[in-house]
Amino acid sequence: MKKPPKGRYAWSVTVGEKGQIVIPKQAREVFGIEPGDSLLLLGDEKRGLAIPPKGSLSEMFSKIFEEEGGERA
């Protein structure tokens, strides 16, 4: 099996009876996830689920609301 590209990871998780998953320790360490953190869970019926890194919500909103060519009324 080929080694994944640097900075790319894959982990396996199991969904419990209550629909909960445990984020693997290595993943929590790599992405700085701490107890009490809020995460964003995105879903696309064709592409699946994604859990972007913390802080990406504000980054995404900044990009969405960026104004091109000056102020808008």
Side-chain angles (χ1 to χ4, degrees), residues 23 27-41 51-60:
I23 300 170
R28 294 191 314 267
E29 290 173 348
V30 167
F31 293 102
I33 299 169
E34 301 287 338
D37 283 351
S38 293
L39 302 175
L40 180 63
L41 180 67
I51 304 173
K54 29 182 222 191
S56 63
L57 180 60
S58 60
E59 186 179 312
M60 279 191 280

Side-chain angles (χ1 to χ4, degrees), residues 2 4 6 10 14 16-17 20 22-24 27-28 31 50 58-59 64 69:
K2 286 173 51 173
K6 185 176 176 137
T14 301
E17 290 181 24
Q20 298 170 319
V22 174
I23 300 170
R28 294 191 314 267
F31 293 102
S58 60
E59 186 179 312
I64 290 169

